[in-house]
Amino acid sequence: MTARPTSSERDEPALDSEERHHMAEAEYPAVIGVVAAGKLLGMGRTKAYRLAKTGRFPCPVLRIGSRYAVPVRGVRALLGYRDTHECREHWKG
């Protein structure tokens, strides 16, 4: 048995893919820690910090005081999401 849409669901206009994309993007923080970004990219804590410290992390990394912060947009671009090309541009040259 499938659930029937409520009256509010029927009254709301359908979102196009661009609108869904912007809503999903708003659910993410602007930056994440270098360890979290490294995990998303399949690397451990030590390697993530080493690459960030030497400027070889595969996405742009911000240094904020003693912390490293990685913009989520850069990680998403590297993973193939279409919302930005920031990370690819960073590594072109």
Side-chain angles (χ1 to χ4, degrees):
M1 177 185 288
T2 59
R4 297 178 67 188
T6 64
S7 61
S8 63
E9 290 173 333
R10 285 190 302 260
D11 295 339
E12 292 178 10
L15 299 176
D16 65 23
S17 63
E18 190 68 24
E19 290 170 320
R20 282 194 307 269
H21 163 73
H22 288 297
M23 286 179 66
E25 188 178 67
E27 295 174 11
Y28 298 105
V31 295
I32 57 176
V34 73
V35 174
K39 284 183 182 181
L40 288 170
L41 299 173
M43 64 182 81
R45 174 187 177 93
T46 303
K47 185 171 189 173
Y49 275 112
R50 185 177 339 118
L51 293 176
K53 184 177 181 179
T54 60
R56 297 183 342 203
F57 199 83
C59 290
V61 176
L62 307 172
R63 184 72 189 242
I64 304 171
S66 62
R67 289 185 59 227
Y68 290 105
V70 180
V72 171
R73 293 181 70 156
V75 176
R76 289 176 54 85
L78 185 63
L79 295 174
Y81 290 90
R82 65 178 178 80
D83 59 339
T84 182
H85 298 288
E86 176 183 319
C87 199
R88 290 185 188 124
E89 293 298 321
H90 174 76
W91 285 101
K92 272 188 178 175

